[in-house]
Amino acid sequence: MRSDAVQAELSLELLVHGVGGTTPQTMLNDPRITRVCGDDTAGIYRRADDADAEGRPGDYAGAPVPDAYSWCNLTSGDGSRALWLLLLPFMVANLAHWMRPPVGRGRLDRAYDVLVRLLALSLTVLLVAAACEVAMDLVAWQCAGNAACVGGKSWLTFLAGGEPGRRVAAGAALPVGLTLLLWWLSRHTWYAYESQRPLPVPPTAQAPPATGDATPLSRRGFWYGRRLVARLRAAHTAAGLLTVAVALVVPALQHDTAPRGGAVLAVLGWLLTGGLAGLTVAVVAVTCGMGRSEHAPDEALDPRLARAMMGGTAAALLTAALYACWHRPGWVSVGRLPVGDAFAWIALLQVLLLAVLGAVAHRMYRVGGGPGELSGLAGPVVALLACALGGVLSGGVAQRVADWLDRGGMPGAAGSTVAGPPVLLSWQAAVIPVLLLVLTVVVVLRLRRLWRRARELMPSVEADYPGEEHEPARTRQIAMARARAELTDQASVFIGVTGVVSFLLGAGALAGAWLSDAVPGEASDGAPAVVRTAAQTAQALGSWLVGAGVVALIALGRRAYRDAGARRTIGILWDVGTFWPRAAHPFSPPCYAERAVPDLTWRMTTWTAAHRGPIILSGHSQGSVLAAAAVWQLDPATRGRIALLTYGSPLSRLYGRWFPAYFGPGALTALHRDLQAWRNLWRSTDPIGGPVHLDESGPPVDRGPLPDPAAYGRTEQHPLPAPLLTHFDYQADPAFAAERGALLAWVSEHRKEVVPAQAQGSGGKSSG
């Protein structure tokens, strides 16, 4: 029997919600709450009646005081944050950085890092180049230089009649403004969301012994990547400004090197080109030069490097603008801006980088011998999807603007007022309908498989509810929920097919652009009418689909940020993407975990130090991932007072499969050994959460599958039809209260045995 002192000891239950932005009132089941600490963005809340619980621990004998950590405003809130969805290609590229196979060889890890960062840099250049294409080529060079195109466009008359170089320099305001906006957003969101320093290590604390299963998430500086983000932000901003500078210099230099051009201006142009090339090499060197410093928080910055890079590119851009604006008698704009081939070179560079990245990832997979989706190629495939998404958006937007400027005609065709975007962008717009058609076929086949699988599961559903009067409709409803949940385990098939199709269509667009002297749809001598018609239709449909897609993306994002139901549906994908730090692309949406994980570690460490009681860390869905990440950051003494309860958790089912270097079986097994106790609840109808599947001796971690629905038909305990809960309302299941009570009792009984041993560095641990 425990002593009176232990019986009067206060315990805490720290609740961490998942996707959907569950309110603190719902988590605590009480409308009267008070904020204990934190701010409007993220904070710890408690019931008003429990505000002074630490002063009367005897009132809570046998029951923990519930605290709710609310982090929903880190990923939702103001509807303007829906604009972050337009940074989706950047987020996907950053995600590829974390999908590496687990391997202990530094050279392979280093090569993987550099390749992903170069791909991310190419996406920034592609986005800025697309903005240059729209503003500097289509609007300033082509339309403003054609009286027929300017007619009826009063907003464009100020450019009409000006020299081509000056028109192009005026059009450069859009891509320059876009680049500076991305720089400002990256810097602003860093200070708003990610500038939280990790918990300092106590001077007397000893680090846990290093093992082969230790996850990088346990490193003290993992959630504080200030220096790398600052360097990458400067490099990507410089790359964007250099892209604009090249778009200014090349047309003027081409004119100056023509037979009637100016010799002095040509020399100046070549000198400026050499300077731009040198700055480009410097940007690439900075991008490749330093990786993440994770073993300790890296407070050092490189202000001189950032100022030199930003100042040099700003000076080069200003010089390029002055060079383009120099008076050149007789210069007229004809056809397209002579920088359109840059898109083909960017696409070719991305193909080469992806090929090398795939080879490195596969080598890591074979050397490491660990788990990994798509045979270790999950990261390269996701990086491919990021490049494909960037290319499709660039091509579709450029074609849509060209169609609009040409009053709905076919740019480049006979009688059109604009020549249209570069050939590659037109080909990329034309492949969009084909890609959507293929994906539609894949979805239809998966739905067919879903219905078949639901029929296969019906006998097992009836077997799980013996003694009931089974009804086909009810059985089918439960079987369909289980079949839909299994789709998560087949996501690799859909992603793999999408990646292969995107690669083939992208390669086809690149080959078609280089083999063709005209955009798809332009009449040629030997092209049959049906081919021309199909090309024109695909091109026009692709441009409209991209325009509609951008509008739909913003509308969906606004709805998801404001509507909890929509946020529950798509929130898990967004929360997975923004969980990871910005290690590859500084312009991706901010990482909420760099605020949430320090919040949790500070709360658990300071509370246990002040009150010496145990904590039940209770995480649902994505909250279980934050909880695990926070536990890994704790010192052994504090970790000895923590018991973990997860439910609806994607720790193994999603993170362990797609991020094996960080949440693989070895890392989760080590987490189980480090903790005093860990229990995981799951349902077979849950499309997100699942079992942890640890091969450990002793009490198992998993309990489940929990029955869902709680009753097949009407019973005395359930006189009304029991609903299917799938991923939500785990706390309504009796198993939740039972496991929470068992964890609290276990930690209260065993913490005196374990904490001193850990504090002395003996490494003694118990698993429960």
Side-chain angles (χ1 to χ4, degrees), residues 336 410-414 419 517-525 527 532 535-536 539:
R336 303 183 183 91
M410 180 61 63
D517 294 328
V519 297
E522 184 175 4
S524 61
D525 294 337
R532 296 197 303 270
Q536 291 174 357
Q539 180 181 334

Side-chain angles (χ1 to χ4, degrees), residues 172-494:
L174 176 63
V176 169
L178 175 63
T179 304
L180 296 179
L181 175 63
L182 292 174
W183 170 85
W184 179 83
L185 283 175
S186 177
R187 188 174 185 274
H188 173 73
T189 53
W190 162 260
Y191 286 104
Y193 299 96
E194 300 166 310
S195 59
Q196 306 300 315
R197 289 176 172 81
L199 189 72
V201 180
T204 58
Q206 297 187 15
T211 65
D213 293 333
T215 174
L217 273 71
S218 63
R219 297 170 183 168
R220 306 305 301 174
F222 186 89
W223 299 107
Y224 193 73
R226 180 183 184 185
R227 185 180 187 185
L228 177 62
V229 174
R231 285 173 65 101
L232 290 179
R233 180 168 59 239
H236 282 244
T237 304
L241 297 179
L242 287 174
T243 303
V244 182
V246 170
L248 287 169
V249 170
V250 170
L253 181 60
Q254 186 182 64
H255 175 270
D256 294 337
T257 54
R260 296 185 179 181
V264 176
L265 288 177
V267 172
L268 292 176
W270 282 116
L271 290 175
L272 183 55
T273 302
L276 295 177
L279 289 171
T280 301
V281 172
V283 168
V284 173
V286 170
T287 303
C288 301
M290 188 188 75
R292 282 174 56 84
S293 177
E294 297 176 347
H295 292 282
D298 193 352
E299 297 284 356
L301 291 178
D302 305 303
R304 293 183 179 179
L305 176 65
R307 285 196 295 266
M309 186 176 300
M310 297 291 289
T313 52
L317 178 62
L318 179 60
T319 305
L322 294 174
Y323 174 71
C325 291
W326 200 268
H327 177 59
R328 293 174 175 85
W331 188 18
V332 295
S333 56
V334 179
R336 303 183 183 91
L337 196 69
V339 290
D341 290 342
F343 290 97
W345 287 109
I346 293 173
L348 180 60
L349 175 63
Q350 290 178 341
V351 169
L352 295 176
L353 290 174
L354 287 169
V356 179
L357 180 65
V360 171
H362 187 62
R363 177 63 178 168
M364 294 171 70
Y365 175 74
R366 297 189 63 180
V367 170
E373 289 295 296
L374 301 174
S375 299
L377 297 179
V381 170
V382 169
L384 167 63
L385 294 179
C387 295
L389 185 58
V392 165
L393 288 175
S394 300
V397 169
Q399 190 62 45
R400 178 87 287 276
V401 172
D403 292 343
W404 173 65
L405 291 174
D406 203 27
R407 296 183 175 89
M410 180 61 63
S416 62
T417 59
V418 294
V423 178
L424 178 62
L425 295 185
S426 295
W427 275 93
Q428 288 175 336
V431 303
I432 294 174
V434 182
L435 176 61
L436 293 180
L437 178 62
V438 173
L439 294 181
T440 301
V441 172
V442 174
V443 170
V444 170
L445 293 177
R446 301 314 299 173
L447 290 177
R448 181 182 176 185
R449 170 61 182 161
L450 175 66
W451 284 101
R452 187 185 304 122
R453 180 58 179 162
R455 289 196 301 269
E456 295 173 355
L457 290 173
M458 290 180 69
S460 64
V461 170
E462 294 181 349
D464 289 341
Y465 297 93
E468 298 276 358
E469 183 178 349
H470 297 120
E471 300 177 2
R474 180 66 163 172
T475 302
R476 190 179 303 109
Q477 178 192 28
I478 301 172
M480 181 59 70
R482 295 184 181 181
R484 283 196 299 266
E486 292 179 358
L487 289 178
T488 302
D489 302 321
Q490 304 165 12
S492 59
V493 176
F494 182 80

